[in-house]
Amino acid sequence: MTAAPVTVDTAQTSHEFLLTVEDLRLKHILELEQQDSIGGTGLLNGSLPVTVALPAIEIQNGRLKARPPGGTLHFDLSRTAENSWVKSQPNMDILIKSLKNFHYHTLDIGLAYEKNGILRLDTRLEGHNPDFKSGRPIHFNLKIEENIPALLKSLELVQGLEDSIQQMITKPKVRRPSKP
């Protein structure tokens, strides 16, 4: 990511600048999910218009697009998880099967981050899975909304719990003398 030089006028309450994104690896973005079931390849380019009006940060009309020729997405659920998803949402079967080995030529993400911490992603994904329906073309339009501060807080809680369990496992127990 790069940005043109930014001049900060301390008399102003708001500052705007443009982040330019080049060759961002999709693999690294997906690794943030910390899920072994999802992976991908490809490079993204785009721009993120950022407004900083402390304590808030905002991004309006951001855009990330895959560089040609595109890349792949892999979504591999355990058989148990897959069956559970399909039971609760019968149409998920097509989605799950098509994303197991999805080769995309178009990945276009509209991005907005609001002052209240809500991240909105409007994603257009076009390609095919050579192992599903004879490689027939598939187009997805996905809208994703996430409360980033709440997500970070929950990740912090999970990490704290993992640290506590690890400490309990590795820390030797101290035996207290029994009372007579």
Side-chain angles (χ1 to χ4, degrees), residues 24 26 29-30 43-49 59 61-66 73 104 106-112 119-125 140-144:
L24 180 61
L26 180 62
I29 295 171
L30 295 175
L43 299 173
L44 303 176
N45 292 341
S47 60
L48 305 172
I59 299 173
N61 301 315
R63 174 118 1 245
L64 296 173
K65 290 185 176 189
L73 282 172
Y104 67 88
T106 300
L107 174 56
D108 186 353
I109 304 166
L111 185 145
L119 174 67
R120 296 180 200 285
L121 303 173
D122 291 324
T123 306
R124 191 174 100 233
L125 184 62
F140 290 109
N141 291 307
L142 307 167
K143 291 187 181 286
I144 300 167

Side-chain angles (χ1 to χ4, degrees), residues 105-165:
H105 55 81
T106 300
L107 174 56
D108 186 353
I109 304 166
L111 185 145
Y113 184 73
E114 300 172 0
K115 291 177 186 177
N116 62 3
I118 300 295
L119 174 67
R120 296 180 200 285
L121 303 173
D122 291 324
T123 306
R124 191 174 100 233
L125 184 62
E126 297 176 4
H128 70 284
N129 178 337
D131 307 323
F132 180 66
K133 300 265 185 189
S134 303
R136 179 162 145 211
I138 301 170
H139 296 197
F140 290 109
N141 291 307
L142 307 167
K143 291 187 181 286
I144 300 167
E145 186 174 301
E146 186 69 57
N147 183 320
I148 298 301
L151 176 64
L152 292 174
K153 187 170 185 146
S154 69
L155 290 174
E156 185 179 292
L157 291 173
V158 168
Q159 184 62 48
L161 180 61
E162 288 174 354
D163 291 347
S164 295
I165 292 171

Side-chain angles (χ1 to χ4, degrees), residues 51-79:
T51 302
V52 178
L54 294 177
I57 296 174
E58 218 176 345
I59 299 173
Q60 293 296 322
N61 301 315
R63 174 118 1 245
L64 296 173
K65 290 185 176 189
R67 270 191 24 197
T72 60
L73 282 172
H74 302 280
F75 187 57
D76 293 316
L77 290 174
S78 69
R79 181 58 66 191

Side-chain angles (χ1 to χ4, degrees), residues 4-67:
V6 177
T7 302
V8 176
D9 181 353
T10 56
Q12 299 295 319
T13 58
S14 176
H15 305 286
E16 296 178 3
F17 59 94
L18 182 68
L19 284 176
T20 301
V21 178
E22 291 183 23
D23 298 338
L24 180 61
R25 294 184 186 281
L26 180 62
K27 174 185 175 182
H28 294 155
I29 295 171
L30 295 175
E31 285 173 352
L32 294 173
E33 281 292 318
Q34 298 180 0
Q35 299 290 325
D36 293 335
S37 60
I38 190 165
T41 65
L43 299 173
L44 303 176
N45 292 341
S47 60
L48 305 172
V50 178
T51 302
V52 178
L54 294 177
I57 296 174
E58 218 176 345
I59 299 173
Q60 293 296 322
N61 301 315
R63 174 118 1 245
L64 296 173
K65 290 185 176 189
R67 270 191 24 197

